Amino acid sequence: MRTRHRPAAVLGCALLLTVAGSGASGLFGGGRSSRPATTRPAAGKPAGHSDPGDFNGDGYDDFVDVVRSKSKDGKKHAENLVVVYGSRTGLVTTTARRTPAGTEPDAVFTSAPLRADLDGDGFTDLVGSRGTGETARETFALFGGAHGLSGARRLDLPAGFRPLAAADFDGDGSVDLLDGGHGGHSGSGNPNATGKGGDGLLLYGPFDREGTPARQAVLDLSQHGYVTPATATTGDFDGDGRAEVVFTYSLDFEQDESEVEEGKGPPSDLHSIGVYEGGERGLVRDTRQEKIIGGLTEPGVPETGDADGDGLPDLLVHTKFPTGTLTILYGAKSGLDTGRERTVIGSTGAADWYSSGFGSSPAVGDVDGDGRPDVVVNTPTFRGHDGKVTLLPGGADGTQSLDGEQGIDSKTDGLPGTPNPYDWNAFGQRPPLLDVDGDGHMDAVVFGPLYEKRKGAYLVLRGTDDGFAPKETRLFTPDDIGVPLRLT
């Protein structure tokens, strides 16, 4: 069980917050205003090793999501990064803080928000980028502190930098930032140029509050200039203090027969998975690990987590065919998938499209508080597009299985709210798992965009000794946190 020490002063602030949040727009809903009243989260303190789930150091994990809104006619669009803080009673909607992607009609967040202690002050920060289309206009950070995250501050980084990953790649104890497709065409060596299919850029920490890195390295990750990484997943799988990174590439090229005959078109050695080892002078490609992951049938975007509790991160990969499957490749001192035998957990459904989604969006955490890691996965294809969340409990041998699994979907007894009646709820968890009430049990935040007559709803599945407790689930809507899905 994960425990956290909380001084009496912090508990007192949490109790005051509960009272303040019990009005029209308090804990988990109430009001439906697009700009509900706000309160400050409980004050916390910095930690020697910041908890990535907790921005203000109060011992309660905080939730982050990017909410995409549009008008009924589809002509207006808006994106907002929203943070909702945890407390003794769970997520408090009145603490919601919103950061818009911009004022332009087509403004978007060009990278997913990353949780990392960028400036090394003991508080977890949020780092992201925003712009239009796939072009990043600015990289920004919301810096953590005792009273929560700061407002968005533009970082003084090379133009167009789009952070795909944050990790310690050189083992110096500081967070580094990685952009897999920054720069001109492959080999240009110009870190201040931009262009799709170009160089990557690794910025080494420590960073100051202006975003200035200690140094940088240009990376050739573009596969002959054809394609840059779409996603990056990091973890120190061999425990040497330097993170590895697993890239996925979206390869979708069309060639006609004449191009093939003339030897034109994409090179034959393009690959959908790239694996690199961290180092002081950049990244070094690891083809052995590429073959391990690439050998899986149509691997999806991998996730990391310590699934067996040995202190080393593991790689969790979803594959679709012949049926939905979750494969766990374990970290080891000798390298990924060189120690204990991998775990393969397959859907119990028929080998068809409906079961192919099982194992999506895996997240690791101790939900039932027994000290053993559990894994939670989505099945977005369950019942067509209705969606399902499955808890795979950890066993005594340190592995998860379908034994004792718990499935929760929009028709599970005890859940609050009104789902879409036509089995089109897209019911799925938003990783990572979070302990939003600090009770030592990880919770899952599920989003159903068609709940509440298309207003959408977040459902916080509370972890207990018996797994998730549907009857203790709390619900709040995007309206409750000031970002309605429908623009007027």
Side-chain angles (χ1 to χ4, degrees), residues 343-436:
T343 294
V344 180
I345 306 172
S347 169
T348 56
D352 55 23
W353 180 83
Y354 295 99
S355 65
S356 65
F358 174 84
S360 300
S361 305
V364 178
D366 186 4
V367 173
D368 55 15
D370 64 356
R372 297 191 290 261
D374 309 308
V375 174
V376 178
V377 299
N378 288 336
T379 307
T381 53
F382 175 74
R383 208 158 47 218
H385 296 276
D386 208 36
K388 181 180 181 180
V389 174
T390 302
L391 168 63
L392 304 170
D397 62 351
T399 63
Q400 296 75 29
S401 70
L402 292 172
D403 293 338
E405 68 169 314
Q406 180 187 18
I408 296 180
D409 60 73
S410 65
K411 296 184 179 181
T412 297
D413 290 340
L415 288 181
T418 305
N420 178 275
Y422 303 108
D423 296 344
W424 201 285
N425 285 287
F427 188 94
Q429 62 142 342
R430 301 285 227 222
L433 299 178
L434 301 167
D435 185 4
V436 299

Side-chain angles (χ1 to χ4, degrees), residues 98 110 152-153 170 201 309 384 405 429 464 476 486:
R98 297 162 291 274
T110 53
R153 299 184 184 181
D170 60 354
L201 187 62
E405 68 169 314
Q429 62 142 342
T464 71
F476 63 94
R486 181 61 56 84

Side-chain angles (χ1 to χ4, degrees), residues 245-259:
V245 57
V246 180
F247 294 113
T248 64
Y249 294 84
S250 297
L251 302 178
D252 186 20
F253 299 111
E254 294 183 0
Q255 287 181 271
D256 57 35
E257 293 184 2
S258 62
E259 287 182 324

